Amino acid sequence: MTTTLAPAAAQPVQLHRRPAASVAQQGPWSVDAIQALLDKPLMDLLFEAQTVHRQHWPAGDIELATLLSVKTGGCPENCGYCPQAAEFDTGVKAEKLMEVEEVVRAAQAAKDAGATRFCMGAAWRAPKDRDIEKVSALIGAVKGLGLQTCATLGMLESHQALALKDAGLDYYNHNLDTAPEYYTDVVSTRAYQDRLDTLQHVRSAGISVCCGGIVGMGEAPVHRAGLIAQLANLQPYPESVPINSLVRVPGTPLADSEPIEPFDFVRMIAVARITMPNARVRLSAGRQQMGEAVQALCFMAGANSIFYGDKLLVTGNPDVDADVQLLAKLGLNGHRTTTTDAEPSHPG
């Protein structure tokens, strides 16, 4: 007798798909949406940030920028983090604006070491027109070396921004520092709107915007989310976004602030990358205290620019050899010739 076996019941096939990155945000970023990103499991957040990064930037490309204080100390502002404020006893002495020859020597040394962008900082609340004329000469001289130029001089009027554009300035740095709700805990001599107005003058003049903030100043997590929201909702968002970890300088009001937890700093880098995909996200102040492993996580999270050189204005920074060795260990390329036209264009 022959027995016929019934066909086995079909079993459903289960597909195991790699989780997709979050869909790009449409419209303004809310603080709640950014907080939700910051609250993600770290590995998921890093995966999403690296996915966004690979979609918009070449793998392993790290911009090297050098920052020089061309006019140090004596600033009338009372920014609680800043050792250059005249009212704080930090040992920083007021100095005059550097001469063109001194700046050119520093810029050439930075270029020889591999930097492609040269940033000049001056401790002014707001430069006078005669100051703009002097800085314009510095810009022209540095530009003549084939470097991108950036300046951070304080608040600008619209005609001053236009003069800097005419001098050849590529980027202007003016940080928002923190969320508007926490701003008055950090500085009282300048309003948040003053910062936004300067950014608008810079943008209207046709200069690219470098704008970020500082964490580890005693702010709450919601203020970190609020800072990213302010930056990401600028129209357009900045081409360059420095994220700074507070360097606590004795004599400043924020010298005793609790340092930000390293993984929370990495989260800030990741969320900046996700919300501003075409920006250069710069791993800025505080690198000297991070160690190589945390810096590596920041690069994983989408940081693709660093300040390069042994000093940031008046505070320390990893030396050039240490950075060269770190980038080599990670297989990152920090020596790439960059021109303004080569920067990815911002959508819209």
Side-chain angles (χ1 to χ4, degrees):
M1 178 174 177
T2 303
T3 303
T4 303
L5 297 177
Q11 296 296 315
V13 177
Q14 197 168 24
L15 297 179
H16 299 275
R17 300 183 184 277
R18 177 181 290 182
S22 296
V23 177
Q25 174 86 6
Q26 300 297 316
W29 283 94
S30 69
V31 174
D32 287 344
I34 289 173
Q35 189 65 62
L37 284 174
L38 288 168
D39 290 341
K40 275 191 166 192
L42 183 61
M43 295 301 109
D44 293 346
L45 180 61
L46 288 177
F47 176 77
E48 180 173 348
Q50 182 62 202
T51 300
V52 171
H53 183 72
R54 294 289 180 113
Q55 291 170 348
H56 294 85
W57 293 93
D61 163 46
I62 305 296
E63 177 198 60
L64 304 180
T66 294
L67 175 61
L68 176 69
S69 179
V70 297
K71 192 278 173 192
T72 302
C75 182
E77 300 276 17
N78 67 353
C79 304
Y81 52 81
C82 186
Q84 301 200 67
E87 69 176 81
F88 307 148
D89 184 12
T90 62
V92 175
K93 305 300 182 185
E95 298 176 3
K96 295 180 179 179
L97 185 68
M98 292 174 67
E99 298 294 333
V100 173
E101 294 77 13
E102 295 177 274
V103 174
V104 167
R105 281 197 297 270
Q108 184 63 59
K111 181 180 179 181
D112 292 344
T116 56
R117 186 183 300 181
F118 192 75
C119 307
M120 293 165 277
W124 288 314
R125 170 180 165 78
K128 299 179 173 61
D129 288 350
R130 65 174 181 270
D131 299 322
I132 295 293
E133 291 179 13
K134 293 175 181 177
V135 172
S136 293
L138 301 181
I139 292 166
V142 172
K143 192 87 168 173
L145 299 176
L147 289 163
Q148 283 189 337
T149 55
C150 178
T152 177
L153 314 172
M155 294 183 290
L156 293 182
E157 298 294 336
S158 57
H159 71 281
Q160 294 175 323
L162 288 168
L164 293 174
K165 174 65 175 178
D166 289 343
L169 188 66
D170 297 304
Y171 286 81
Y172 193 80
N173 167 261
H174 200 63
N175 291 335
L176 292 180
D177 289 349
T178 188
E181 296 78 13
Y182 191 66
Y183 184 77
T184 54
D185 288 66
V186 176
V187 54
S188 63
T189 53
R190 183 189 307 186
Y192 208 79
Q193 188 60 48
D194 293 332
R195 294 187 181 271
L196 295 173
D197 289 347
T198 288
L199 293 176
Q200 186 56 57
H201 295 326
V202 169
R203 183 65 78 190
S204 296
I207 301 171
S208 295
V209 169
C210 175
C211 183
I214 309 170
V215 291
M217 299 193 295
E219 73 283 345
V222 69
H223 300 136
R224 296 172 189 162
L227 169 63
I228 297 291
Q230 287 290 319
L231 294 167
N233 290 329
L234 290 173
Q235 295 296 324
Y237 57 72
E239 285 83 359
S240 183
V241 180
I243 303 295
N244 299 275
S245 179
L246 177 68
V247 177
R248 295 172 295 160
V249 179
T252 60
L254 295 176
D256 295 326
S257 297
E258 188 71 22
I260 186 171
E261 207 278 332
F263 290 153
D264 288 341
F265 186 84
V266 174
R267 291 175 183 278
M268 288 292 291
I269 296 287
V271 175
R273 169 53 64 220
I274 292 166
T275 58
M276 294 169 279
N278 280 313
R280 284 273 184 192
V281 176
R282 179 173 298 134
L283 181 55
S284 295
R287 284 200 301 123
Q288 204 169 28
Q289 291 75 42
M290 289 177 192
E292 290 187 342
V294 174
Q295 290 184 71
L297 285 174
C298 289
F299 293 129
M300 184 73 162
N304 61 346
S305 178
I306 60 173
F307 274 128
Y308 187 63
D310 61 1
K311 186 176 284 190
L312 294 183
L313 296 178
V314 296
T315 58
N317 198 47
D319 64 35
V320 167
D321 288 342
D323 281 335
V324 169
Q325 291 174 22
L326 175 59
L327 295 178
K329 288 178 185 178
L330 300 177
L332 300 174
N333 173 26
H335 294 269
R336 183 174 70 87
T337 301
T338 308
T339 64
T340 304
D341 292 340
E343 289 289 311
S345 58
H346 190 288

